mmCIF file of all heavy atoms in Angstrom:
data_model
loop_
_atom_site.group_PDB
_atom_site.id
_atom_site.type_symbol
_atom_site.label_atom_id
_atom_site.label_comp_id
_atom_site.label_asym_id
_atom_site.label_seq_id
_atom_site.Cartn_x
_atom_site.Cartn_y
_atom_site.Cartn_z
ATOM 1 N N VAL A 143 0.851 -1.179 0.000
ATOM 2 C CA VAL A 143 0.000 0.000 0.000
ATOM 3 C C VAL A 143 0.894 1.237 0.000
ATOM 4 O O VAL A 143 1.898 1.302 0.712
ATOM 5 C CB VAL A 143 -0.923 -0.017 1.244
ATOM 6 C CG1 VAL A 143 -1.729 1.243 1.329
ATOM 7 C CG2 VAL A 143 -1.823 -1.229 1.201
ATOM 8 N N ASP A 144 0.532 2.240 -0.801
ATOM 9 C CA ASP A 144 1.345 3.448 -0.926
ATOM 10 C C ASP A 144 1.113 4.432 0.214
ATOM 11 O O ASP A 144 1.969 5.272 0.473
ATOM 12 C CB ASP A 144 1.041 4.142 -2.252
ATOM 13 C CG ASP A 144 1.430 3.275 -3.435
ATOM 14 O OD1 ASP A 144 2.339 2.454 -3.294
ATOM 15 O OD2 ASP A 144 0.815 3.441 -4.496
ATOM 16 N N THR A 145 -0.032 4.378 0.873
ATOM 17 C CA THR A 145 -0.319 5.279 1.984
ATOM 18 C C THR A 145 -0.989 4.506 3.110
ATOM 19 O O THR A 145 -1.550 3.435 2.891
ATOM 20 C CB THR A 145 -1.263 6.424 1.549
ATOM 21 O OG1 THR A 145 -2.476 5.868 1.079
ATOM 22 C CG2 THR A 145 -0.629 7.300 0.484
ATOM 23 N N VAL A 146 -0.915 5.070 4.306
ATOM 24 C CA VAL A 146 -1.585 4.502 5.473
ATOM 25 C C VAL A 146 -2.332 5.634 6.160
ATOM 26 O O VAL A 146 -2.041 6.815 5.950
ATOM 27 C CB VAL A 146 -0.580 3.836 6.447
ATOM 28 C CG1 VAL A 146 0.063 2.621 5.813
ATOM 29 C CG2 VAL A 146 0.468 4.828 6.918
ATOM 30 N N ARG A 147 -3.301 5.279 7.000
ATOM 31 C CA ARG A 147 -4.068 6.286 7.732
ATOM 32 C C ARG A 147 -3.350 6.627 9.033
ATOM 33 O O ARG A 147 -2.878 5.735 9.728
ATOM 34 C CB ARG A 147 -5.464 5.773 8.003
ATOM 35 C CG ARG A 147 -6.255 5.559 6.719
ATOM 36 C CD ARG A 147 -7.623 4.972 6.951
ATOM 37 N NE ARG A 147 -8.494 5.757 7.792
ATOM 38 C CZ ARG A 147 -9.208 6.811 7.409
ATOM 39 N NH1 ARG A 147 -9.128 7.203 6.170
ATOM 40 N NH2 ARG A 147 -9.980 7.451 8.250
ATOM 41 N N ALA A 148 -3.302 7.935 9.329
ATOM 42 C CA ALA A 148 -2.657 8.388 10.563
ATOM 43 C C ALA A 148 -3.314 9.690 11.026
ATOM 44 O O ALA A 148 -3.916 10.418 10.235
ATOM 45 C CB ALA A 148 -1.166 8.605 10.340
ATOM 46 N N THR A 149 -3.164 9.987 12.312
ATOM 47 C CA THR A 149 -3.749 11.196 12.902
ATOM 48 C C THR A 149 -2.784 12.364 12.728
ATOM 49 O O THR A 149 -1.584 12.240 12.970
ATOM 50 C CB THR A 149 -4.031 10.972 14.402
ATOM 51 O OG1 THR A 149 -4.880 9.841 14.528
ATOM 52 C CG2 THR A 149 -4.698 12.172 15.016
ATOM 53 N N VAL A 150 -3.332 13.501 12.306
ATOM 54 C CA VAL A 150 -2.539 14.723 12.116
ATOM 55 C C VAL A 150 -3.227 15.882 12.831
ATOM 56 O O VAL A 150 -4.424 15.827 13.129
ATOM 57 C CB VAL A 150 -2.361 15.058 10.613
ATOM 58 C CG1 VAL A 150 -1.531 14.013 9.916
ATOM 59 C CG2 VAL A 150 -3.697 15.229 9.920
ATOM 60 N N ARG A 151 -2.445 16.954 13.086
ATOM 61 C CA ARG A 151 -2.979 18.182 13.677
ATOM 62 C C ARG A 151 -2.590 19.340 12.783
ATOM 63 O O ARG A 151 -1.519 19.353 12.183
ATOM 64 C CB ARG A 151 -2.415 18.401 15.081
ATOM 65 C CG ARG A 151 -2.982 17.460 16.093
ATOM 66 C CD ARG A 151 -2.715 17.983 17.506
ATOM 67 N NE ARG A 151 -3.323 17.074 18.450
ATOM 68 C CZ ARG A 151 -2.667 16.369 19.357
ATOM 69 N NH1 ARG A 151 -1.366 16.506 19.473
ATOM 70 N NH2 ARG A 151 -3.293 15.562 20.171
ATOM 71 N N TRP A 152 -3.463 20.354 12.731
ATOM 72 C CA TRP A 152 -3.188 21.543 11.940
ATOM 73 C C TRP A 152 -3.937 22.723 12.544
ATOM 74 O O TRP A 152 -4.832 22.552 13.364
ATOM 75 C CB TRP A 152 -3.595 21.334 10.478
ATOM 76 C CG TRP A 152 -5.081 21.272 10.275
ATOM 77 C CD1 TRP A 152 -5.899 22.293 9.921
ATOM 78 C CD2 TRP A 152 -5.923 20.133 10.448
ATOM 79 N NE1 TRP A 152 -7.194 21.868 9.855
ATOM 80 C CE2 TRP A 152 -7.244 20.541 10.171
ATOM 81 C CE3 TRP A 152 -5.688 18.814 10.801
ATOM 82 C CZ2 TRP A 152 -8.306 19.666 10.247
ATOM 83 C CZ3 TRP A 152 -6.769 17.947 10.871
ATOM 84 C CH2 TRP A 152 -8.058 18.376 10.594
ATOM 85 N N ARG A 153 -3.551 23.901 12.131
ATOM 86 C CA ARG A 153 -4.227 25.130 12.567
ATOM 87 C C ARG A 153 -4.909 25.746 11.356
ATOM 88 O O ARG A 153 -4.362 25.772 10.268
ATOM 89 C CB ARG A 153 -3.235 26.119 13.172
ATOM 90 C CG ARG A 153 -2.636 25.622 14.468
ATOM 91 C CD ARG A 153 -1.906 26.742 15.186
ATOM 92 N NE ARG A 153 -1.340 26.256 16.432
ATOM 93 C CZ ARG A 153 -1.988 26.205 17.585
ATOM 94 N NH1 ARG A 153 -3.242 26.609 17.644
ATOM 95 N NH2 ARG A 153 -1.394 25.747 18.666
ATOM 96 N N ASP A 154 -6.137 26.255 11.592
ATOM 97 C CA ASP A 154 -6.869 26.900 10.507
ATOM 98 C C ASP A 154 -6.440 28.369 10.411
ATOM 99 O O ASP A 154 -5.504 28.804 11.091
ATOM 100 C CB ASP A 154 -8.382 26.753 10.702
ATOM 101 C CG ASP A 154 -8.887 27.420 11.963
ATOM 102 O OD1 ASP A 154 -8.146 28.217 12.566
ATOM 103 O OD2 ASP A 154 -10.043 27.149 12.352
ATOM 104 N N ALA A 155 -7.132 29.149 9.601
ATOM 105 C CA ALA A 155 -6.774 30.549 9.377
ATOM 106 C C ALA A 155 -6.883 31.384 10.648
ATOM 107 O O ALA A 155 -6.210 32.413 10.784
ATOM 108 C CB ALA A 155 -7.674 31.139 8.288
ATOM 109 N N ARG A 156 -7.718 30.970 11.622
ATOM 110 C CA ARG A 156 -7.873 31.699 12.893
ATOM 111 C C ARG A 156 -6.971 31.119 13.987
ATOM 112 O O ARG A 156 -7.167 31.393 15.167
ATOM 113 C CB ARG A 156 -9.325 31.659 13.334
ATOM 114 C CG ARG A 156 -10.234 32.434 12.392
ATOM 115 C CD ARG A 156 -11.651 32.342 12.847
ATOM 116 N NE ARG A 156 -12.064 30.927 12.735
ATOM 117 C CZ ARG A 156 -13.284 30.522 12.468
ATOM 118 N NH1 ARG A 156 -14.237 31.397 12.308
ATOM 119 N NH2 ARG A 156 -13.561 29.240 12.373
ATOM 120 N N SER A 157 -6.041 30.269 13.596
ATOM 121 C CA SER A 157 -5.088 29.619 14.509
ATOM 122 C C SER A 157 -5.760 28.670 15.494
ATOM 123 O O SER A 157 -5.215 28.405 16.565
ATOM 124 C CB SER A 157 -4.260 30.671 15.271
ATOM 125 O OG SER A 157 -3.454 31.379 14.369
ATOM 126 N N THR A 158 -6.929 28.153 15.166
ATOM 127 C CA THR A 158 -7.583 27.151 15.997
ATOM 128 C C THR A 158 -6.987 25.792 15.669
ATOM 129 O O THR A 158 -6.836 25.433 14.500
ATOM 130 C CB THR A 158 -9.108 27.133 15.723
ATOM 131 O OG1 THR A 158 -9.609 28.448 15.907
ATOM 132 C CG2 THR A 158 -9.814 26.163 16.640
ATOM 133 N N LEU A 159 -6.655 25.027 16.688
ATOM 134 C CA LEU A 159 -6.028 23.723 16.506
ATOM 135 C C LEU A 159 -7.092 22.670 16.182
ATOM 136 O O LEU A 159 -8.120 22.592 16.855
ATOM 137 C CB LEU A 159 -5.255 23.322 17.767
ATOM 138 C CG LEU A 159 -4.414 22.060 17.659
ATOM 139 C CD1 LEU A 159 -3.319 22.229 16.620
ATOM 140 C CD2 LEU A 159 -3.802 21.728 19.017
ATOM 141 N N HIS A 160 -6.845 21.878 15.156
ATOM 142 C CA HIS A 160 -7.745 20.798 14.738
ATOM 143 C C HIS A 160 -6.944 19.508 14.633
ATOM 144 O O HIS A 160 -5.719 19.538 14.458
ATOM 145 C CB HIS A 160 -8.365 21.085 13.361
ATOM 146 C CG HIS A 160 -9.205 22.299 13.311
ATOM 147 N ND1 HIS A 160 -10.526 22.320 13.687
ATOM 148 C CD2 HIS A 160 -8.916 23.569 12.919
ATOM 149 C CE1 HIS A 160 -11.017 23.527 13.525
ATOM 150 N NE2 HIS A 160 -10.058 24.311 13.052
ATOM 151 N N SER A 161 -7.635 18.390 14.708
ATOM 152 C CA SER A 161 -6.984 17.108 14.454
ATOM 153 C C SER A 161 -7.926 16.241 13.627
ATOM 154 O O SER A 161 -9.136 16.420 13.658
ATOM 155 C CB SER A 161 -6.606 16.403 15.761
ATOM 156 O OG SER A 161 -7.770 16.039 16.461
ATOM 157 N N GLY A 162 -7.336 15.323 12.895
ATOM 158 C CA GLY A 162 -8.117 14.437 12.046
ATOM 159 C C GLY A 162 -7.238 13.330 11.505
ATOM 160 O O GLY A 162 -6.043 13.272 11.777
ATOM 161 N N VAL A 163 -7.848 12.465 10.740
ATOM 162 C CA VAL A 163 -7.137 11.320 10.172
ATOM 163 C C VAL A 163 -7.044 11.523 8.663
ATOM 164 O O VAL A 163 -8.014 11.878 8.009
ATOM 165 C CB VAL A 163 -7.884 10.006 10.495
ATOM 166 C CG1 VAL A 163 -7.193 8.830 9.843
ATOM 167 C CG2 VAL A 163 -7.984 9.814 11.993
ATOM 168 N N THR A 164 -5.863 11.279 8.118
ATOM 169 C CA THR A 164 -5.651 11.405 6.684
ATOM 170 C C THR A 164 -4.659 10.339 6.221
ATOM 171 O O THR A 164 -4.089 9.615 7.034
ATOM 172 C CB THR A 164 -5.138 12.814 6.327
ATOM 173 O OG1 THR A 164 -5.157 12.979 4.915
ATOM 174 C CG2 THR A 164 -3.741 13.044 6.855
ATOM 175 N N GLN A 165 -4.444 10.268 4.949
ATOM 176 C CA GLN A 165 -3.497 9.319 4.363
ATOM 177 C C GLN A 165 -2.104 9.938 4.373
ATOM 178 O O GLN A 165 -1.937 11.096 3.982
ATOM 179 C CB GLN A 165 -3.904 8.977 2.923
ATOM 180 C CG GLN A 165 -5.264 8.344 2.774
ATOM 181 C CD GLN A 165 -5.293 6.922 3.292
ATOM 182 O OE1 GLN A 165 -4.286 6.241 3.375
ATOM 183 N NE2 GLN A 165 -6.480 6.473 3.668
ATOM 184 N N VAL A 166 -1.129 9.166 4.836
ATOM 185 C CA VAL A 166 0.262 9.631 4.870
ATOM 186 C C VAL A 166 1.156 8.530 4.315
ATOM 187 O O VAL A 166 0.733 7.387 4.154
ATOM 188 C CB VAL A 166 0.700 10.005 6.312
ATOM 189 C CG1 VAL A 166 -0.130 11.143 6.858
ATOM 190 C CG2 VAL A 166 0.667 8.805 7.227
#
């Protein structure tokens, strides 16, 4: 498999912290 699912964190335009699962 070329990618696996993993949890990531990011900040939106208002600098609010979010987390979610994406392919890495």
Side-chain angles (χ1 to χ4, degrees):
V143 175
D144 296 333
T145 60
V146 294
R147 295 177 59 81
T149 303
V150 294
R151 287 197 178 117
W152 70 95
R153 293 193 180 274
D154 62 14
R156 293 179 295 211
S157 295
T158 305
L159 187 63
H160 298 276
S161 66
V163 177
T164 190
Q165 300 289 336
V166 298

